[in-house]
Amino acid sequence: MAMRTDEPARITLLQRERPLRPDLFLVIPYMMLSGLGLLMVYTASAPRLEALGIPPDRDLKRQAVFVVIGFIVFGVVSMIDMRTIRGWVPAIYGSSLVLLVLVLSPLGEKVKGAQRWIDIGPFQFQPAELAKLAVVLGLASLLASAGSGPLRWDHVARAIVLVAIPAGLIFLQPDLGTMLVFGFMAIVMLFTSGATWRQLAFLSVSGVIGAVGLFQVGAIKEYQITRLTAFLDPAADLQGARYNQYQSEIAIGSGGFTGKGLFNGSQTNLRFVPEQSADFIFTAVGEQLGFIGSALVLALFGIIVWRILVAAVNAKDRFGRLVAVGVASLIAFHVFVNIGMTVRLMPVTGLPLPFMSAGGTVFIAMSAALGLAHSVWLRRSPVPGERAIE
Amino acid sequence: MKQSWRLGAIGLVFAGLFGVLLLQLWRVQVTEAANYEAQAAQNQVRLVRTPAPRGDIVDVKGRLLAGTRPALAAVVDLGLVPEAAIPDLAQKLSAFLGLPASEIQQQLTEAGSADQIVLREDLDERQALFLVEHREDFPGVAVIPQPVRSYPEGDLAAQVLGYIGRPNKEDLERPDVKGTDFVGKAGVEDFYDEQLRGTEGLIKYQVDARRDVLASLGEIDPQPGSNVRLTIDADVQRQLQDSLDRGLRFARKLEMEERAKALADRPAAQRLAEAAAELAAEAEAAVATASADEDASDPQPPHELDPGTVLGPVWDRLPIDSEGVCVPVERHTVDIGETVVLSGRNPRTFRLLAVDGEGARRRATVEVAGEVIEVGDRDSFATNLRVVDLAPERIIVTATDKWCPVRTVGVVEDPRDGSIIAMGSQPTFDPSAFVDGLTSEEWEKLSSVAAFTNFAIQGQYAPASTFKAVSYMLAIEEGIYPLDRPIDDRTLGSGTEGDSVAAGDEEELKPLTSDLDKYNCTGSFRFRFNDGSSQVFRDWKRSGHGPLDLHEALEASCDLYFWEIALRIWNERDAEGGIGNENLFQEWARRFGFDQPTGIDLPFEAKGLIPDREWFRQEQAKGSGRVRADGTWVGGDLMNAVVGQGDVLVTPLQLANAYSAMVNGGTLWRPRVVEELYDQDGNVVDERPRQVLGTIDLEPASVESFRRDLGLVTNGPIGTARGAFADFGPNVEKVGGKTGTGEVIKAPRAEHEFQVDNAWFVGVAPIDDPRYVVVVVVERGGSGGKVAAPIAKQLLQFLMNGPDSITPLAPGEDAD
């Protein structure tokens, strides 16, 4: 601090020359992950498509379109000032609720027992991905108004209601993974905005009681529990409940330290891992690029999360900081749960790997989220020199 | 920024989560990578087993008795069927296999997920084509080649060949046996299973996750099993089975004639009175619905041995077949509402009205000959009827006839090396039935007469007078002969001490010293025990045989002569310088291979029994009920043993093998049914060596005289089989033998009528240089000379004079 007050003029000048210089530590890893994601989607989908007599680059092209759109969305969102965005929060939150209701209506499409998609022409839209953004923004807006100092109980209560409404709608799809994301983000954001330990303990206990209650009244089915706990049971039926996880573990483990090389993965080429280009895209990394590739991916995500947290620290206002923290927790949680499930640390919950898993909504939504964090960084405080002007 | 520690904490938590991921990735991708690599490699390879053709079994001249023919089987590989698809698959298979879908589903669900299950063997062309053409409808179902066992000669030598079937739990413990294999279950198929089975082949495929085959990675051809050449001669075997089959019917006809005669002999008034008493007893039994805890394996007519039982009406109701000949077990499965006619001279109707109750407490309401009665599971009711099973909708009843000849057993052995030329028992079965699958009805029918059992090695019988051969050898080798005539009113202690010949008689008696000395057979003698009671020992021929030497005693099968030998051994068991060996007889018997399995290369051989004092004591201690509860082994027990009665048990094979040793000069061979094993190119891979179990030191003169005396049994003036061999034709002088009549039911209550005997005949030919020893048993058949000897005669005719020389079965003399 002392240094800054000593040399205000020079820094102010620099900053004012290029006030919106992008955070390359954020943007470059984002683009690297997206590019690697495209390559992995291709290696994982080509053998399947080829076997079906479909051009093997179909999924690659499709995902490339999403990546381009995602990049544009990232850039545009980065440009928008947080205060502007804060004004849109009620509209974003409200429309995401409407979409969550729509997906449950006959407009929504049921796939494998879950109603998560709305068809828009050749593409499918997943309202849950948008809802994640809406929850981050809604919570940030609500908690930003709380003022500094210990959080009041009425804010906690309002935060619960704000999360519970979309969570309830998502529970009906059902999509347990997204509910867990909400819970994680809510805890992290409440913690950031000064929730007391008692409030956090209360939230945890009521969360557990709520889950047990839902199970007791039969809203959570036995098989859902089985699926969540099967990964803990080494004797679980490897051909049944644990087949996906078992095969993905083999894929990653057989990659070894250096990997089998691109297009050389037997698990990938012979289609042993189901859903590989979507939720299990990391297995393609693990098998083909080995521990080196896995560690690289993990490092890139680590850098992104680190940069977002740095943005939070330097945020100009509470809203921006909370948005950044929310985005950081969103990405970190997705990464941990997704990669964790491929190596049997976590149950299979169907959370995609940000920027890499095939899928349009998730890529665009994650890009928008990253754009929000980037926007916070671009308008950070103190933007060097700004304090001097004040 | 006073809350910035909170952001720092969040950063640490995230760093921790990423750290955990990195550690786990390190473990999976570096520490345990080799393990996962192996699993990945295994993932892509699928092994398909190709069954090895089972080796052929041929007779001694190379004629095929058991072979394999190529066939297709439908199997389902459960690794290829998603769990959710099982109900649908079961539904589709149900239509194809004609089985209830629930049953198939259960089978599919119960099997482990990696298992291959055989749905149907031996598909016909149309079925195989259907499955192949509709592959999409039957996920995981494949048509694979699976050779099928065939038995081109049907039931020929079935009990020697045995049969094959799916492995049971025990079989599966063998390292090379899998659930989809066939393994031998009995006979040569079982004993030589390992050699016959061969080694299965493997085809390695590279497959993808959907198990679609991408490439073949190599193939190991199956190694066919070795072929087995039996010592059995199919021609002789066929003749044996034919004669045993005819013999069984022959024995049953004789039994019916005897019954008719017994009925006719009795005054009409007495029969009427008895019939009334019987009907009253029967009504009483129906109300009481007799005891439920009787042994089900040996169903007995409830009144059989009760005093006052009347034969007439009972016999009228015993089961008979369409030709009016008795059948040992008549079995009916009756559904509710169904009526069956129970056979017998007075046929009755049987109708099942209802079955009710649960589990063990079921009751059935039935109507027999117009009378409605209630019976429970395992009840005996209405004279000889018995309930063996009560299911919800049906009842299984049997009618048994304990007097009816139940089976015939035969062995033909080559005494020169122990080779079995023919062997089996009747009724028998066709092993193909096991390949095609037996219905439970067929199975029960065959198993109720124990058709799958080879009684030549598994049946244990009292050998009766055929056992006199052992005493004969003992006498002539040891020089132990009777006194010159029986002493009446001898005192014989019931305990161990004080058994002795009354002193007063001794001076008048002369111990015989040679096999040519004559013993005066008076037909019976009486013992007076120390406690004052007495027992008369009667020869089978009540009037006696008159004076005879050892040779004539064998020829006429004089009981008294051999009893006297037993008494000599018994009385001189402690004598200094005399015999001094109580177990002399048992030792001789064991030398000839009795009381132990012969070690033939077939499973489940029984060992027989030669009783002695030690055995008696052990049985008494065990409280098995086989021996008297009080007292000890006494001279009477030994007297029983020397004539092959009492507790002596032998298998027909043991007897054939012992006679072989007696006529070949004293070499006890290990009998064998397999000559050699050879591979597909005809090279012998295992020349089953002939094995000598022991050598008995017999004087050539003894052997020669024994052979000659066997010849007298069939040819001599007082020979017990003279009648049976009267129409033998040429070479009759070259055949010999020994008859035997074994009492099944001891101490008959009424004279003659209740007697149930096993008939024996041991034939030897040619007697000057024996090549064949033939043993025939007719279970519950009557006397050996009358029933068993004619059956053996046909075999000896076949062996000596060829197939065209065989004369019909005609009853021989009713002689022991």
Side-chain angles (χ1 to χ4, degrees), chain B residues 139-159:
Chain B
V141 176
V143 175
I144 60 160
Q146 188 172 61
V148 166
R149 196 67 161 160
S150 66
Y151 300 91
E153 300 292 338
D155 68 3
L156 190 70
Q159 289 146 342

PDB file of all heavy atoms in Angstrom, chain B residues 139-159:
ATOM      1  N   PRO B 139     -30.517 -60.841 -27.903  1.00  0.00           N
ATOM      2  CA  PRO B 139     -29.179 -60.339 -27.565  1.00  0.00           C
ATOM      3  C   PRO B 139     -28.435 -61.327 -26.683  1.00  0.00           C
ATOM      4  O   PRO B 139     -28.996 -61.869 -25.726  1.00  0.00           O
ATOM      5  CB  PRO B 139     -29.478 -59.028 -26.814  1.00  0.00           C
ATOM      6  CG  PRO B 139     -30.880 -59.165 -26.335  1.00  0.00           C
ATOM      7  CD  PRO B 139     -31.585 -60.014 -27.347  1.00  0.00           C
ATOM      8  N   GLY B 140     -27.167 -61.547 -27.003  1.00  0.00           N
ATOM      9  CA  GLY B 140     -26.336 -62.425 -26.177  1.00  0.00           C
ATOM     10  C   GLY B 140     -26.505 -63.895 -26.491  1.00  0.00           C
ATOM     11  O   GLY B 140     -25.761 -64.725 -25.991  1.00  0.00           O
ATOM     12  N   VAL B 141     -27.472 -64.233 -27.326  1.00  0.00           N
ATOM     13  CA  VAL B 141     -27.695 -65.653 -27.626  1.00  0.00           C
ATOM     14  C   VAL B 141     -26.867 -66.024 -28.852  1.00  0.00           C
ATOM     15  O   VAL B 141     -26.844 -65.288 -29.832  1.00  0.00           O
ATOM     16  CB  VAL B 141     -29.186 -65.934 -27.880  1.00  0.00           C
ATOM     17  CG1 VAL B 141     -29.397 -67.381 -28.276  1.00  0.00           C
ATOM     18  CG2 VAL B 141     -29.983 -65.605 -26.627  1.00  0.00           C
ATOM     19  N   ALA B 142     -26.181 -67.129 -28.753  1.00  0.00           N
ATOM     20  CA  ALA B 142     -25.358 -67.558 -29.873  1.00  0.00           C
ATOM     21  C   ALA B 142     -25.574 -69.044 -30.128  1.00  0.00           C
ATOM     22  O   ALA B 142     -25.979 -69.792 -29.240  1.00  0.00           O
ATOM     23  CB  ALA B 142     -23.880 -67.287 -29.581  1.00  0.00           C
ATOM     24  N   VAL B 143     -25.313 -69.438 -31.345  1.00  0.00           N
ATOM     25  CA  VAL B 143     -25.378 -70.853 -31.707  1.00  0.00           C
ATOM     26  C   VAL B 143     -23.945 -71.346 -31.839  1.00  0.00           C
ATOM     27  O   VAL B 143     -23.163 -70.797 -32.600  1.00  0.00           O
ATOM     28  CB  VAL B 143     -26.135 -71.040 -33.030  1.00  0.00           C
ATOM     29  CG1 VAL B 143     -26.085 -72.492 -33.466  1.00  0.00           C
ATOM     30  CG2 VAL B 143     -27.575 -70.581 -32.861  1.00  0.00           C
ATOM     31  N   ILE B 144     -23.576 -72.322 -31.036  1.00  0.00           N
ATOM     32  CA  ILE B 144     -22.194 -72.801 -31.065  1.00  0.00           C
ATOM     33  C   ILE B 144     -22.178 -74.304 -31.318  1.00  0.00           C
ATOM     34  O   ILE B 144     -23.144 -75.000 -31.010  1.00  0.00           O
ATOM     35  CB  ILE B 144     -21.457 -72.507 -29.736  1.00  0.00           C
ATOM     36  CG1 ILE B 144     -22.180 -73.201 -28.577  1.00  0.00           C
ATOM     37  CG2 ILE B 144     -21.353 -71.023 -29.476  1.00  0.00           C
ATOM     38  CD1 ILE B 144     -21.295 -73.360 -27.364  1.00  0.00           C
ATOM     39  N   PRO B 145     -21.074 -74.787 -31.898  1.00  0.00           N
ATOM     40  CA  PRO B 145     -20.991 -76.233 -32.080  1.00  0.00           C
ATOM     41  C   PRO B 145     -20.774 -76.907 -30.726  1.00  0.00           C
ATOM     42  O   PRO B 145     -19.949 -76.468 -29.922  1.00  0.00           O
ATOM     43  CB  PRO B 145     -19.766 -76.410 -32.981  1.00  0.00           C
ATOM     44  CG  PRO B 145     -18.971 -75.168 -32.788  1.00  0.00           C
ATOM     45  CD  PRO B 145     -19.919 -74.082 -32.417  1.00  0.00           C
ATOM     46  N   GLN B 146     -21.541 -77.895 -30.449  1.00  0.00           N
ATOM     47  CA  GLN B 146     -21.339 -78.660 -29.219  1.00  0.00           C
ATOM     48  C   GLN B 146     -21.675 -80.121 -29.515  1.00  0.00           C
ATOM     49  O   GLN B 146     -22.839 -80.472 -29.677  1.00  0.00           O
ATOM     50  CB  GLN B 146     -22.220 -78.121 -28.093  1.00  0.00           C
ATOM     51  CG  GLN B 146     -21.869 -78.777 -26.779  1.00  0.00           C
ATOM     52  CD  GLN B 146     -22.592 -78.136 -25.611  1.00  0.00           C
ATOM     53  OE1 GLN B 146     -23.811 -78.134 -25.546  1.00  0.00           O
ATOM     54  NE2 GLN B 146     -21.845 -77.598 -24.681  1.00  0.00           N
ATOM     55  N   PRO B 147     -20.630 -80.947 -29.587  1.00  0.00           N
ATOM     56  CA  PRO B 147     -20.864 -82.343 -29.937  1.00  0.00           C
ATOM     57  C   PRO B 147     -21.771 -83.007 -28.909  1.00  0.00           C
ATOM     58  O   PRO B 147     -21.729 -82.681 -27.728  1.00  0.00           O
ATOM     59  CB  PRO B 147     -19.467 -82.972 -29.895  1.00  0.00           C
ATOM     60  CG  PRO B 147     -18.508 -81.843 -29.798  1.00  0.00           C
ATOM     61  CD  PRO B 147     -19.232 -80.663 -29.267  1.00  0.00           C
ATOM     62  N   VAL B 148     -22.585 -83.914 -29.389  1.00  0.00           N
ATOM     63  CA  VAL B 148     -23.530 -84.604 -28.513  1.00  0.00           C
ATOM     64  C   VAL B 148     -23.125 -86.069 -28.406  1.00  0.00           C
ATOM     65  O   VAL B 148     -22.732 -86.698 -29.394  1.00  0.00           O
ATOM     66  CB  VAL B 148     -24.961 -84.459 -29.075  1.00  0.00           C
ATOM     67  CG1 VAL B 148     -25.912 -85.425 -28.390  1.00  0.00           C
ATOM     68  CG2 VAL B 148     -25.442 -83.031 -28.905  1.00  0.00           C
ATOM     69  N   ARG B 149     -23.187 -86.599 -27.188  1.00  0.00           N
ATOM     70  CA  ARG B 149     -22.863 -87.996 -26.958  1.00  0.00           C
ATOM     71  C   ARG B 149     -23.940 -88.871 -27.573  1.00  0.00           C
ATOM     72  O   ARG B 149     -25.127 -88.572 -27.467  1.00  0.00           O
ATOM     73  CB  ARG B 149     -22.811 -88.250 -25.453  1.00  0.00           C
ATOM     74  CG  ARG B 149     -22.111 -89.548 -25.053  1.00  0.00           C
ATOM     75  CD  ARG B 149     -20.675 -89.476 -25.385  1.00  0.00           C
ATOM     76  NE  ARG B 149     -19.818 -90.418 -24.686  1.00  0.00           N
ATOM     77  CZ  ARG B 149     -18.615 -90.722 -25.151  1.00  0.00           C
ATOM     78  NH1 ARG B 149     -18.180 -90.208 -26.286  1.00  0.00           N
ATOM     79  NH2 ARG B 149     -17.826 -91.528 -24.477  1.00  0.00           N
ATOM     80  N   SER B 150     -23.505 -89.939 -28.211  1.00  0.00           N
ATOM     81  CA  SER B 150     -24.518 -90.862 -28.727  1.00  0.00           C
ATOM     82  C   SER B 150     -24.138 -92.288 -28.358  1.00  0.00           C
ATOM     83  O   SER B 150     -22.962 -92.621 -28.233  1.00  0.00           O
ATOM     84  CB  SER B 150     -24.623 -90.723 -30.248  1.00  0.00           C
ATOM     85  OG  SER B 150     -23.426 -91.162 -30.846  1.00  0.00           O
ATOM     86  N   TYR B 151     -25.124 -93.062 -28.151  1.00  0.00           N
ATOM     87  CA  TYR B 151     -24.940 -94.464 -27.777  1.00  0.00           C
ATOM     88  C   TYR B 151     -25.673 -95.301 -28.811  1.00  0.00           C
ATOM     89  O   TYR B 151     -26.852 -95.604 -28.655  1.00  0.00           O
ATOM     90  CB  TYR B 151     -25.483 -94.715 -26.366  1.00  0.00           C
ATOM     91  CG  TYR B 151     -24.781 -93.870 -25.315  1.00  0.00           C
ATOM     92  CD1 TYR B 151     -25.275 -92.622 -24.966  1.00  0.00           C
ATOM     93  CD2 TYR B 151     -23.632 -94.332 -24.689  1.00  0.00           C
ATOM     94  CE1 TYR B 151     -24.631 -91.843 -24.008  1.00  0.00           C
ATOM     95  CE2 TYR B 151     -22.978 -93.557 -23.734  1.00  0.00           C
ATOM     96  CZ  TYR B 151     -23.486 -92.313 -23.397  1.00  0.00           C
ATOM     97  OH  TYR B 151     -22.850 -91.549 -22.459  1.00  0.00           O
ATOM     98  N   PRO B 152     -24.955 -95.632 -29.902  1.00  0.00           N
ATOM     99  CA  PRO B 152     -25.640 -96.244 -31.044  1.00  0.00           C
ATOM    100  C   PRO B 152     -26.279 -97.588 -30.710  1.00  0.00           C
ATOM    101  O   PRO B 152     -27.195 -98.008 -31.399  1.00  0.00           O
ATOM    102  CB  PRO B 152     -24.531 -96.382 -32.093  1.00  0.00           C
ATOM    103  CG  PRO B 152     -23.248 -96.266 -31.342  1.00  0.00           C
ATOM    104  CD  PRO B 152     -23.531 -95.397 -30.162  1.00  0.00           C
ATOM    105  N   GLU B 153     -25.803 -98.256 -29.670  1.00  0.00           N
ATOM    106  CA  GLU B 153     -26.361 -99.574 -29.368  1.00  0.00           C
ATOM    107  C   GLU B 153     -27.440 -99.509 -28.294  1.00  0.00           C
ATOM    108  O   GLU B 153     -27.786-100.522 -27.690  1.00  0.00           O
ATOM    109  CB  GLU B 153     -25.251-100.535 -28.935  1.00  0.00           C
ATOM    110  CG  GLU B 153     -24.172-100.755 -29.990  1.00  0.00           C
ATOM    111  CD  GLU B 153     -24.680-101.515 -31.205  1.00  0.00           C
ATOM    112  OE1 GLU B 153     -25.705-102.229 -31.078  1.00  0.00           O
ATOM    113  OE2 GLU B 153     -24.074-101.389 -32.283  1.00  0.00           O
ATOM    114  N   GLY B 154     -27.912 -98.295 -27.997  1.00  0.00           N
ATOM    115  CA  GLY B 154     -29.012 -98.197 -27.027  1.00  0.00           C
ATOM    116  C   GLY B 154     -28.581 -98.633 -25.644  1.00  0.00           C
ATOM    117  O   GLY B 154     -27.577 -98.158 -25.123  1.00  0.00           O
ATOM    118  N   ASP B 155     -29.313 -99.587 -25.093  1.00  0.00           N
ATOM    119  CA  ASP B 155     -29.046 -99.962 -23.704  1.00  0.00           C
ATOM    120  C   ASP B 155     -27.927-101.003 -23.585  1.00  0.00           C
ATOM    121  O   ASP B 155     -27.669-101.499 -22.502  1.00  0.00           O
ATOM    122  CB  ASP B 155     -30.322-100.450 -23.016  1.00  0.00           C
ATOM    123  CG  ASP B 155     -30.821-101.778 -23.586  1.00  0.00           C
ATOM    124  OD1 ASP B 155     -30.152-102.347 -24.477  1.00  0.00           O
ATOM    125  OD2 ASP B 155     -31.879-102.245 -23.140  1.00  0.00           O
ATOM    126  N   LEU B 156     -27.258-101.317 -24.686  1.00  0.00           N
ATOM    127  CA  LEU B 156     -26.213-102.340 -24.615  1.00  0.00           C
ATOM    128  C   LEU B 156     -25.079-101.891 -23.691  1.00  0.00           C
ATOM    129  O   LEU B 156     -24.491-100.830 -23.900  1.00  0.00           O
ATOM    130  CB  LEU B 156     -25.672-102.644 -26.017  1.00  0.00           C
ATOM    131  CG  LEU B 156     -24.757-103.877 -26.081  1.00  0.00           C
ATOM    132  CD1 LEU B 156     -25.563-105.154 -25.873  1.00  0.00           C
ATOM    133  CD2 LEU B 156     -24.000-103.931 -27.389  1.00  0.00           C
ATOM    134  N   ALA B 157     -24.812-102.686 -22.687  1.00  0.00           N
ATOM    135  CA  ALA B 157     -23.733-102.423 -21.723  1.00  0.00           C
ATOM    136  C   ALA B 157     -23.900-101.073 -21.018  1.00  0.00           C
ATOM    137  O   ALA B 157     -22.939-100.467 -20.567  1.00  0.00           O
ATOM    138  CB  ALA B 157     -22.356-102.498 -22.390  1.00  0.00           C
ATOM    139  N   ALA B 158     -25.139-100.619 -20.933  1.00  0.00           N
ATOM    140  CA  ALA B 158     -25.384 -99.277 -20.383  1.00  0.00           C
ATOM    141  C   ALA B 158     -24.782 -99.096 -18.996  1.00  0.00           C
ATOM    142  O   ALA B 158     -24.214 -98.060 -18.685  1.00  0.00           O
ATOM    143  CB  ALA B 158     -26.886 -99.002 -20.332  1.00  0.00           C
ATOM    144  N   GLN B 159     -24.903-100.127 -18.152  1.00  0.00           N
ATOM    145  CA  GLN B 159     -24.424 -99.944 -16.777  1.00  0.00           C
ATOM    146  C   GLN B 159     -22.899 -99.978 -16.692  1.00  0.00           C
ATOM    147  O   GLN B 159     -22.332 -99.470 -15.734  1.00  0.00           O
ATOM    148  CB  GLN B 159     -25.051-101.000 -15.868  1.00  0.00           C
ATOM    149  CG  GLN B 159     -26.531-100.734 -15.664  1.00  0.00           C
ATOM    150  CD  GLN B 159     -27.337-101.993 -15.533  1.00  0.00           C
ATOM    151  OE1 GLN B 159     -26.886-103.072 -15.919  1.00  0.00           O
ATOM    152  NE2 GLN B 159     -28.531-101.869 -14.997  1.00  0.00           N
TER     153      GLN B 159
END
